[in-house]
Amino acid sequence: MRKGNKMIERLRGFRDFYPEDQEIRRNLFRTMEETCREFGFKEVDGPSLESIELYAHKSGEEIMSQMFSFKDKGGRDITLVPEFTPTLSRMVSSRKDLVKPMKWYSIAKYWRYEEPQSGRFREFYQLNADILGSESVLADSEIVSLSAEILRKLGVGEKIKLKINSRILLDAIIDKFVNEKRREVYYILDRWNKLESNNRDDLINTQGLDKNIINAIASGRIIKEFDHKELDRLNSILDYVKSYSNVSIDVDLKIVRGLDYYTGFVFESWDKEEKFRAILGGGRYDNIIEQLGGEHTPAVGFGFGDAVIENIMKMEGLWKLEKEKSVFIVQIDTTGREYSKDVARRLRDKGINVDLNVMDRGISKQLDYAAKMGYEFSVILGENEAKKGTITVKNMSTGEQSEMSIDEIENIWKPNIN
Ligand code: HAM
């Protein structure tokens, strides 16, 4: 850096993604996307800026207070989108010709002015998968199964658990055993696992609640004394998901979720030890689309961020590059340099990722670069290869070299051959 030049720091809560990391993130997104498509979901996308009005009275106070909002040059109050659900609902409410149910997914960035901490940033990626236009328990079950299937494919299926609940059920329990004070009970349940037991008791006291009843709700014991059709609904989701995959899943009355718009079923996924935060979360929101002027459209879905899953995959040693067919082309001389264009084209046509030397460097420097970039194989080209129409493949870890035809290259990735 020249004297007087100043380094400009990255904003707090924002991340830079260098290739070694972004390649792995790309695989995460690919798994999310492939699984959504296997479940019959279609991709959608929305804008990065929305009018603030879209969030008023829908997402809740917490998100409203976390928005990156400002006035644009026309004096309009707008915000960077903090979540996708309101946009998705707006998209549905503004078109009458959509074939229901819609099964939509999207992977995009969202912005929330939160306190940056492990698993929480001010800018993050989130997969959203939603089924809009069905009130069936089958839609809830498919949504939960989809989330479980993504986690299984990422290799963490055994390490996580799913927790499901219903606000309708919880409200009925509160109405019967606590009377009113829904907000207070929600507040305590939402913080339950973060609080020490004596702090819980203090909070229960200050809210004027009965300790035994709140404990019975938090532990789920109260369900045994209760009969409600929403409980049957939860049980049928449990049965469906358990027969679909062997993921661990249970009813947990403490799952209330922070967003205001959920109308019934809600769920989250956590690592079994709860070392981290919720990996994903979602539920049913049957009223927003109508509130936005659309037809009554019951909907259910979830949001799955890139940050908590990254922590869990790192802990499990799974945050690493997948092997792919890729080679680096080393040019020995000017003939090799000429010839490398044809070879690159033919290899790329075969679906192999080809990186080609673009520097004025000798062979050993080119090989150094290939090794540093982690290429398993280099393809070495010179006058000899150009004349015969062959390639020389060097295994970068063993140093072994062999000359072959371009078509024979596929063999190097077959087990036991190189
Ligand atoms: P949410 O619980 O606010 O729900 O977020 C869902 C997931 O997004 C979280 O579990 C987490 O993985 C990720 N996430 C949220 N905030 C952050 C942050 N600041 N940094 C990193 N990751 C974050 C929703 O957003 C709902 N709109 C989900 C939904 C879709 N419900 C129905 N359909």
Side-chain angles (χ1 to χ4, degrees):
M1 203 169 60
R2 263 176 300 161
K3 218 176 149 190
N5 286 357
K6 189 169 136 256
M7 283 263 217
I8 296 171
E9 286 189 9
R10 192 181 60 223
L11 295 174
R12 241 184 116 223
F14 287 74
R15 293 169 289 174
D16 297 322
F17 301 110
Y18 291 92
E20 59 271 25
D21 186 50
Q22 188 63 0
E23 296 255 306
I24 308 174
R25 200 171 313 278
R26 181 61 48 209
N27 290 337
L28 166 69
F29 296 157
R30 196 175 299 135
T31 304
M32 289 174 162
E33 176 153 19
E34 275 170 11
T35 320
C36 286
R37 301 194 76 83
E38 280 171 16
F39 274 69
F41 284 68
K42 304 272 182 275
E43 186 171 19
V44 292
D45 203 359
S48 305
L49 292 172
E50 289 276 14
S51 154
I52 280 187
E53 232 182 312
L54 182 61
Y55 305 90
H57 317 297
K58 291 172 198 80
S59 301
E61 278 163 33
E62 189 173 20
I63 281 214
M64 288 296 285
S65 70
Q66 291 172 339
M67 293 194 305
F68 277 90
S69 50
F70 54 97
K71 274 196 197 302
D72 71 4
K73 289 188 178 166
R76 286 168 287 260
D77 287 311
I78 57 175
T79 180
L80 276 167
V81 287
E83 58 156 337
F84 191 47
T85 313
T87 297
L88 189 72
S89 304
R90 181 182 57 66
M91 286 166 70
V92 171
S93 69
S94 65
R95 265 186 58 182
K96 303 257 180 280
D97 59 324
L98 295 165
V99 181
K100 286 182 185 165
M102 286 74 79
K103 296 173 73 174
W104 287 354
Y105 77 91
S106 168
I107 300 172
K109 277 185 175 176
Y110 297 93
W111 296 266
R112 296 184 195 174
Y113 200 87
E114 293 199 47
E115 194 46 38
Q117 52 190 297
S118 166
R120 279 287 177 279
F121 297 101
R122 290 184 172 167
E123 176 181 64
F124 56 97
Y125 287 97
Q126 197 190 56
L127 161 72
N128 276 265
D130 295 83
I131 302 182
L132 306 115
S134 165
E135 57 192 4
S136 165
V137 66
L138 212 59
D140 303 352
S141 305
E142 275 277 285
I143 278 291
V144 182
S145 301
L146 168 61
S147 72
E149 184 61 5
I150 296 172
L151 291 163
R152 186 189 68 80
K153 284 203 194 163
L154 293 172
V156 299
E158 313 262 287
K159 306 287 168 195
I160 60 96
K161 58 185 172 187
L162 286 158
K163 304 191 204 183
I164 67 172
N165 190 17
S166 161
R167 287 187 173 178
I168 297 173
L169 174 69
L170 186 61
D171 290 348
I173 290 174
I174 298 173
D175 288 349
K176 178 164 177 199
F177 296 97
V178 190
N179 282 330
E180 296 159 9
K181 303 226 172 188
R182 274 189 196 170
R183 269 191 103 81
E184 291 80 354
V185 179
Y186 270 61
Y187 183 82
I188 293 177
L189 293 177
D190 194 32
R191 281 154 191 77
W192 194 265
N193 288 347
K194 286 174 222 145
L195 294 171
E196 301 288 332
S197 73
N198 51 346
N199 292 340
R200 273 180 211 152
D201 291 349
D202 288 349
L203 197 58
I204 293 171
N205 279 335
T206 48
Q207 305 280 11
L209 296 164
D210 178 328
K211 189 174 143 192
N212 289 333
I213 290 175
I214 301 300
N215 274 316
I217 297 177
S219 67
R221 264 186 287 121
I222 209 152
I223 292 178
K224 294 193 190 79
E225 305 165 33
F226 204 68
D227 188 27
H228 195 281
K229 66 176 189 332
E230 197 66 7
L231 200 53
D232 301 336
R233 191 178 175 111
L234 289 183
N235 281 327
S236 80
I237 298 172
L238 281 186
D239 289 344
Y240 189 101
V241 178
K242 278 183 181 163
S243 63
Y244 196 91
S245 72
N246 57 2
V247 73
S248 121
I249 176 166
D250 238 320
V251 174
D252 186 336
L253 295 177
K254 297 189 290 304
I255 299 301
V256 294
R257 316 247 327 110
L259 297 154
D260 278 355
Y261 48 65
Y262 293 115
T263 49
F265 167 63
V266 284
F267 77 108
E268 285 179 359
S269 173
W270 289 73
D271 60 297
K272 278 189 177 148
E273 277 124 55
E274 301 203 9
K275 279 198 200 152
F276 303 100
R277 293 165 155 266
I279 305 168
L280 58 87
R284 198 159 254 296
Y285 50 103
D286 289 348
N287 299 334
I288 314 182
I289 295 158
E290 209 171 341
Q291 283 166 6
L292 289 170
E295 288 169 10
H296 175 67
T297 311
V300 61
F302 65 88
F304 184 163
D306 66 327
V308 180
I309 191 68
E310 175 178 345
N311 286 339
I312 294 171
M313 288 176 75
K314 278 186 174 155
M315 184 179 72
E316 296 300 326
L318 295 167
W319 193 255
K320 54 179 193 231
L321 279 176
E322 274 173 22
K323 266 200 182 166
E324 53 182 16
K325 289 183 178 176
S326 61
V327 296
F328 178 77
I329 294 187
V330 173
Q331 305 132 345
I332 303 183
D333 47 32
T334 44
T335 323
R337 212 164 162 105
E338 279 281 303
Y339 181 45
S340 66
K341 181 189 73 194
D342 299 334
V343 173
R345 147 121 266 139
R346 288 187 54 190
L347 294 178
R348 286 170 182 156
D349 279 349
K350 289 177 180 294
I352 298 164
N353 298 343
V354 180
D355 181 0
L356 161 94
N357 173 51
V358 290
M359 304 289 281
D360 193 9
R361 276 178 180 160
I363 307 162
S364 68
K365 285 255 171 68
Q366 292 182 49
L367 284 168
D368 268 359
Y369 173 82
K372 279 189 190 144
M373 294 300 288
Y375 285 102
E376 238 186 315
F377 298 102
S378 287
V379 167
I380 302 173
L381 305 176
E383 207 179 323
N384 165 55
E385 286 81 5
K387 229 190 273 161
K388 294 199 269 174
T390 57
I391 55 176
T392 295
V393 176
K394 181 182 178 88
N395 180 321
M396 298 299 289
S397 44
T398 63
E400 256 173 272
Q401 270 183 220
S402 51
E403 195 178 330
M404 60 185 77
S405 73
I406 291 178
D407 287 333
E408 279 171 320
I409 194 160
E410 299 286 356
N411 295 332
I412 65 176
W413 288 289
K414 289 190 182 146
N416 305 327
I417 290 186
N418 45 72

